[in-house]
Amino acid sequence: MSQSVCILGATGSIGQSTLKILQQHPGQYSVFAVTAHSRIAELVEICRQFRPKVAVVPSEKVSELQQLLKQSDLHHIEILSGEAGLISIAEHPEVDVVMAAIVGAAGLLPTLAAVKAGKRVLLANKEALVMSGDLMMQAAIDHQALLLPVDSEHNAIFQCLPADYLQAERNGQPKKGVSRLLLTASGGPFRNHTLDQLRQVTPAQACKHPNWSMGQKISVDSATLMNKGLELIEACHLFAISEHFVTVVVHPQSIIHSMVQYVDGSTLAQMGNPDMCTPIAHALAWPERIQTHVPPLDLFVNHQLDFQEPDTLRFPALKLAREAMKSGGLAPAVLNASNEIAVGAFLNNQIKFTDIPVVVEHTLNLLPNAAASSLDVILEADQKARLLAQQFVSSKGS
Ligand code: NAD
Ligand code: MG
């Protein structure tokens, strides 16, 4: 029977790749709902092609969507709006699979709603897990949701772990013969920049990743290495392992997407061309495999694989994230919120590239840490961190 898919963030880079795969397998999947935050014309084009039952946009975009759908003879598509709309499609009884591909904290509540409704959740929205860590993982257990990693590194690790790994006790220790996770990082576009050069980096340069084509926010995060920091936290939660057992390895070619080391001296790697269609297809079909348009790796062309240690002096964001994970509690949520503000300010030319980790560190130092005891406490910390980070950004600009 065909699986009914809800795509949160359909107009984004991950959303588009997801649609590309669904298009290749029309008998196996149907699109139930799609969402967009700003690019409404693109959403209408998606609606024209995929004929979903529901489309969700912010309330101020409803009339624009209504008009455009009407012009395209698509008035039968139900329009919902705002966070309530996102939540209602994420937990809708007709939905089997939810692709969580909204960027940033805005994806937390709908992703959590999908988990609590026991869906197969394809997790691209790493910020949601970084913020809510234990709470989301516990909700997945309690509601028997299948939380499958789409982030290429975590998907690679998932593929290299023993099949029953996640059924073992979640105690922070590696188990089933696993000794360590090796999280690979491309190093971003400024891997070889000096600190002086990093100070001069422009938003346009930061948004141009050498190996991957991605949304703006994650492109900047990849350039600061905050993306790897968020992924380190993501890995700790997904695989119930303490940060001490996760090593970040810079691998500029992005051919190995991450590795798992075992106590017998084995290191298993998942390799492939850098294209998000592979991890998306894997998470969609797991434990089966489905075809994608990604060409197989040609090792006679991609014959060189290099590895380096990350430099946390030039890229302090990675260290800040590791420390936040070590501190636990609300620190990862504060790290994430202040980073979202700092990245936004950098993209608006309000602060320098090298100020991004400064804003994050400043915010982490100002907010006393506490246990992430409930969703409300997490959301409050997120708001406070945003405010403090914003104040700091404004003071830097004046
Ligand atoms: P993107 O910027 O291309 O797309 C983001 C999507 O989220 C869009 O559909 C947009 O309409 C929606 N959105 C943005 N703000 C919103 C808001 N406030 N409320 C509701 N919807 C909103 O981003 P992307 O590159 O597709 O990344 C999406 C997520 O996947 C991010 O969390 C990112 O870290 C993660 N991810 C992306 C890649 C990649 O290759 N692009 C790889 C791994 C993980
Ligand atoms: Mg990644």
Side-chain angles (χ1 to χ4, degrees):
M1 219 183 70
S2 138
Q3 297 262 300
S4 172
V5 185
C6 162
I7 306 176
L8 303 170
T11 49
S13 161
I14 294 287
Q16 293 287 338
S17 297
T18 307
L19 288 165
K20 204 161 130 186
I21 296 163
L22 299 184
Q23 196 172 29
Q24 233 182 309
H25 302 277
Q28 242 168 304
Y29 303 100
S30 62
V31 179
F32 176 82
V34 289
T35 85
H37 191 60
S38 53
R39 299 200 291 263
I40 307 304
E42 286 176 34
L43 186 72
V44 173
E45 180 50 30
I46 292 170
C47 289
R48 206 187 49 72
Q49 252 186 297
F50 291 89
R51 310 270 157 172
K53 289 192 180 164
V54 190
V56 184
V57 290
S59 46
E60 64 275 15
K61 301 280 183 190
V62 166
S63 62
E64 183 184 347
L65 178 63
Q66 233 159 14
Q67 246 176 14
L68 290 174
L69 284 180
K70 209 167 148 197
Q71 281 168 18
S72 307
D73 251 352
L74 294 167
H75 18 65
H76 57 279
I77 295 178
E78 185 183 356
I79 300 175
L80 296 178
S81 67
E83 196 154 67
L86 295 172
I87 291 172
S88 89
I89 54 163
E91 62 186 19
H92 197 284
E94 274 185 54
V95 167
D96 304 301
V97 181
V98 175
M99 165 50 86
I102 288 175
V103 59
L108 173 59
L109 293 184
T111 304
L112 201 54
V115 169
K116 286 184 176 167
K119 307 293 185 196
R120 173 187 283 245
V121 181
L122 316 187
L123 185 75
N125 180 204
K126 65 194 84 182
E127 297 91 346
L129 185 60
V130 166
M131 291 173 75
S132 66
D134 294 339
L135 205 119
M136 185 170 306
M137 294 312 299
Q138 192 57 47
I141 294 169
D142 292 347
H143 300 275
Q144 291 167 19
L146 195 52
L147 192 58
L148 294 168
V150 165
D151 215 344
S152 57
E153 296 77 2
H154 306 75
N155 185 268
I157 290 170
F158 182 68
Q159 294 195 43
C160 296
L161 284 172
D164 56 353
Y165 188 80
L166 294 178
Q167 280 140 35
E169 199 191 345
R170 301 184 62 82
N171 59 4
Q173 295 295 314
K175 46 222 145 218
K176 304 254 175 197
V178 169
S179 58
R180 176 162 293 280
L181 307 183
L182 303 182
L183 196 63
T184 55
S186 70
F190 313 130
R191 184 169 47 90
N192 296 321
H193 273 38
T194 63
L195 257 178
D196 258 355
Q197 288 172 313
L198 286 175
R199 281 189 203 101
Q200 310 305 323
V201 159
T202 65
Q205 291 166 334
C207 288
K208 215 173 156 339
H209 195 276
N211 305 342
W212 299 92
S213 144
M214 309 180 285
Q216 279 196 330
K217 195 255 174 185
I218 183 176
S219 296
V220 176
D221 284 348
S222 298
T224 58
L225 288 203
M226 181 58 92
N227 182 50
K228 215 45 59 181
L230 297 174
E231 290 185 356
L232 170 73
I233 299 173
E234 186 186 9
C236 293
H237 290 300
L238 283 171
F239 307 118
I241 201 164
S242 104
E243 56 75 35
H244 172 68
F245 298 106
V246 187
T247 302
V248 173
V249 181
V250 174
H251 163 47
Q253 291 88 0
S254 298
I255 293 297
I256 293 182
H257 300 304
S258 277
M259 296 170 257
V260 175
Q261 290 190 324
Y262 287 83
V263 289
D264 62 3
S266 300
T267 300
L268 301 198
Q270 187 263 355
M271 301 164 75
N273 283 309
D275 188 322
M276 288 308 292
C277 285
T278 298
I280 294 170
H282 177 267
L284 254 177
W286 183 86
E288 306 295 325
R289 297 265 178 180
I290 53 171
Q291 196 126 26
T292 69
H293 290 303
V294 182
L297 205 54
D298 182 347
L299 286 172
F300 297 117
V301 175
N302 305 292
H303 51 77
Q304 194 170 335
L305 304 177
D306 296 312
F307 305 99
Q308 298 156 4
E309 245 184 285
D311 176 356
T312 50
L313 266 178
R314 283 179 304 137
F315 300 100
L318 181 57
K319 198 164 126 230
L320 290 174
R322 193 180 276 282
E323 281 163 9
M325 186 63 212
K326 239 189 254 183
S327 314
L330 296 169
V334 170
L335 172 99
N336 177 66
S338 52
N339 180 58
E340 284 190 32
I341 295 295
V343 170
F346 166 67
L347 288 171
N348 283 329
N349 293 304
Q350 286 172 282
I351 60 170
K352 287 188 181 149
F353 180 76
T354 41
D355 288 333
I356 296 173
V358 177
V359 173
V360 173
E361 185 168 23
H362 172 85
T363 312
L364 277 164
N365 287 339
L366 274 186
L367 269 177
N369 200 2
S373 49
S374 71
L375 188 59
D376 285 345
V377 170
I378 293 169
L379 293 174
E380 195 188 324
D382 172 86
Q383 287 307 311
K384 276 191 191 157
R386 277 167 204 273
L387 208 67
L388 287 172
Q390 194 57 63
Q391 281 168 359
F392 188 55
V393 164
S394 308
S395 74
K396 281 188 99 49
S398 57

